[in-house]
Amino acid sequence: MPRILIVGGGYAGFYTAWKLEKKLRSGDAEVTLVDRRPYMTYQPFLPEVVAGSIEARHAAVSHRRHLRRTRLVAGMVTAIDHAHRVVTVRHNDGHRFELSYDVIVVTAGAVTRKFAVPGIAEQAIGLKNVEEAVAIRDQLFTAFDLAAGLAPGPRRRKLLTVTFVGGGFTGVEGFGELLSLATALLKRYPEINREELQFHLVEATGRILPEVTDGPGRWVVRSLERRGAHVHLNTQVTSTVDGHVVLSTGEEFDSELIVWATGNGVNPVIGRHTDLPVDHRGLVVVRPDLRIGTEENPMPDAWAAGDDAAVPDLASPVPGALAVPNAQHAYRQGKLLARNISLDLKGKRPKKYLHRSLGAVATLGLGRGIFQYRRLVITGFPAWLMHRGYHVLAVPSWERKLRVLSVWLTAALFGRDIISLAAVQRPRDAFVTGGEPSIPTEDKSPTP
């Protein structure tokens, strides 16, 4: 049997494996998927995980639950040698080994783009994985708990200041949802005034949400500012050392929570540790049918899709345009990948990827959203309902759809769950200390 190796179990990788199981009969091929995580992250739900509107596990889709005929390897591909049809894998327990294959599918996904800004590596957190979304939510809860017991002063101001860097969909949606959560928390914390909350959104360009046109983008800025947020356009973060944020405009402030959401960066494995062709940005060169290579020089038995692939956008009027690296494209590319691999194994001609955008929809917090399709723009509560409706239909499997719907219904009746589980990141502390009081190392400010 031909051995198909899928590198990465995110959107494109998961859908490729899932659909291959439906298209291939037992014995047609042996499919192996390599990924560090045992699940696919449904990233459009991460802002709602941040806001506590969705249970964290419901934003993840288990590989083992759905990929029943796929061999799953818990590890990370660190090098690809297509000339010899072999990859190097670092298992989650640390040991390395090689896997051979006949057909490779590169869907490793991108990583969070970082810049050489002092303090970012030590102070900031990304928003690309479920674990990061949960940590952001718990950090906000912890900050409220600490601030409520402090007298007004620098430490309290820092705890109640949140900074998001990046005005794309991830940054704006996460910012809007966390602002909505923080505002809702105020009625549970009478010690904290609304004026003490400081939310900063920093964007290096002159607009946010590049997927929508200028008018709707400006409306989002005005909407956030009416809710008390500070939106800094044409501004860069130059330092975050010790949580002290310095902006290129000269403004400075202390911020306890700094979220780095500046878009996708090149996957280092794909960009530097493979003999597959990559472009000047480190993306895999892909033909319209998702086969790696060019029309003149296709690579045999090699396919790619998702955020780390330069997939031509045939629906764009701009020559040479590439498909936007988002969930809408990745999931459709994964489905087509499975179809094309199946056709190729049968000696048939694969299909080209062509998808016309269904529009852009974003959540800006509970009951707030924006939707645009060409000249049609819908804002406020209707757009928020459209956002929820679209994504509950798009998340894989009826099991996940029903779980998400049940949480939304419960929240509508009883409100959001505001329990912080920050201590779960240090589960042995209570056992190790045995109840002995410990002296905090970060904050020794006196309580009022």
Side-chain angles (χ1 to χ4, degrees):
M1 290 189 297
R3 297 163 299 172
I4 302 172
L5 177 65
I6 302 174
V7 180
Y11 256 107
F14 171 82
Y15 273 100
T16 300
W18 199 24
K19 297 302 179 181
L20 276 175
E21 289 191 359
K22 300 178 186 301
K23 293 182 177 297
L24 300 179
R25 296 170 300 179
S26 179
D28 284 351
E30 176 186 286
V31 181
T32 300
L33 185 147
V34 182
D35 197 285
R36 288 181 298 174
R37 293 180 174 85
Y39 56 82
M40 180 205 84
T41 302
Y42 190 75
Q43 291 184 345
F45 276 161
L46 293 185
E48 296 210 46
V49 172
V50 166
S53 299
I54 289 180
E55 168 59 37
R57 287 184 174 87
H58 298 169
V61 180
S62 169
H63 288 158
R64 291 198 175 273
R65 184 183 184 95
H66 300 285
L67 305 180
R68 300 175 182 177
R69 292 194 289 119
T70 299
R71 178 192 174 196
L72 300 173
V73 177
M76 175 183 178
V77 170
T78 59
I80 301 173
D81 182 358
H82 190 61
H84 298 93
R85 301 293 199 278
V86 66
V87 299
T88 302
V89 178
R90 184 176 69 231
H91 196 268
N92 282 354
D93 68 2
H95 79 277
R96 296 176 183 267
F97 61 95
E98 291 186 342
L99 274 178
S100 56
Y101 62 85
D102 299 304
V103 178
I104 191 168
V105 179
V106 180
T107 54
V111 298
T112 300
R113 181 173 55 183
K114 291 183 288 188
F115 301 97
V117 177
I120 283 296
E122 296 78 17
Q123 301 294 327
I125 184 171
L127 183 50
K128 205 171 184 63
N129 302 305
V130 174
E131 298 90 341
E132 292 172 326
V134 173
I136 291 169
R137 183 187 67 196
D138 286 346
Q139 275 189 244
L140 183 74
F141 288 150
T142 301
F144 265 69
D145 287 334
L146 292 174
L150 294 175
R155 177 58 178 154
R156 179 168 167 136
R157 282 197 302 271
K158 181 179 181 180
L159 285 167
L160 297 175
T161 300
V162 174
T163 304
F164 271 67
V165 185
F169 258 78
T170 299
V172 171
E173 289 192 313
F175 183 81
E177 287 285 353
L178 197 65
L179 176 59
S180 176
L181 173 61
T183 304
L185 284 177
L186 290 174
K187 63 182 179 181
R188 308 293 182 186
Y189 289 84
E191 306 93 334
I192 299 174
N193 297 320
R194 175 64 186 86
E195 293 72 23
E196 293 184 275
L197 286 182
Q198 297 294 313
F199 271 67
H200 297 267
L201 176 62
V202 184
E203 167 55 37
T205 68
R207 52 169 298 182
I208 61 175
L209 291 180
E211 292 84 353
V212 303
T213 54
D214 290 346
R218 289 192 294 269
W219 179 89
V220 173
V221 171
R222 292 195 301 270
S223 174
L224 292 173
E225 289 179 338
R226 283 195 298 267
R227 294 160 61 188
H230 305 277
V231 181
H232 308 267
L233 300 179
N234 295 310
T235 305
Q236 297 178 342
V237 174
T238 60
S239 175
T240 62
V241 174
D242 295 329
H244 184 70
V245 179
V246 181
L247 304 182
S248 58
T249 58
E251 187 174 352
E252 300 182 24
F253 51 86
D254 290 333
S255 181
E256 183 72 10
L257 177 57
I258 302 171
V259 181
W260 194 261
T262 56
N264 292 330
V266 174
N267 190 309
V269 175
I270 306 305
R272 298 193 293 269
H273 302 286
T274 175
D275 57 353
L276 298 173
V278 296
D279 65 12
H280 64 283
R281 294 167 299 172
L283 300 177
V284 181
V285 177
V286 178
R287 305 188 332 166
D289 62 1
L290 305 182
R291 191 190 298 273
I292 294 177
T294 63
E295 295 290 348
E296 299 76 20
N297 297 301
M299 296 204 73
D301 305 318
W303 308 80
D307 292 352
D308 57 8
V311 180
D313 187 358
L314 301 183
S316 173
V318 180
L322 301 178
V324 177
N326 61 20
Q328 190 177 132
H329 282 294
Y331 124 83
R332 288 176 172 82
Q333 290 168 10
K335 292 170 64 175
L336 181 63
L337 259 181
R339 181 183 180 187
N340 281 352
I341 292 171
S342 176
L343 290 172
D344 191 61
L345 290 175
K346 297 171 183 176
K348 298 181 180 180
R349 188 174 182 177
K351 308 296 183 181
K352 292 183 178 181
Y353 177 71
L354 174 62
H355 171 64
R356 292 179 173 83
S357 175
L358 302 176
V361 62
T363 174
L364 303 174
L366 194 62
R368 299 177 174 90
I370 185 169
F371 168 80
Q372 180 178 19
Y373 177 68
R374 297 182 181 176
R375 292 187 177 183
L376 175 64
V377 178
I378 300 174
T379 60
F381 187 74
W384 176 77
L385 284 179
M386 294 173 68
H387 177 274
R388 284 202 162 184
Y390 172 79
H391 285 300
V392 80
L393 290 175
V395 68
S397 83
W398 280 103
E399 171 257 342
R400 272 295 176 264
K401 298 179 198 297
L402 293 175
R403 287 184 187 274
V404 170
L405 282 171
S406 67
V407 173
W408 281 343
L409 178 60
T410 303
L413 294 174
F414 304 108
R416 290 186 261 213
D417 196 330
I418 61 171
I419 297 294
S420 171
L421 295 178
V424 77
Q425 298 171 40
R426 301 179 303 276
R428 296 184 66 249
D429 280 4
F431 173 76
V432 171
T433 62
E436 287 288 336
S438 58
I439 300 175
T441 57
E442 294 184 1
D443 179 31
K444 298 183 178 64
S445 303
T447 55

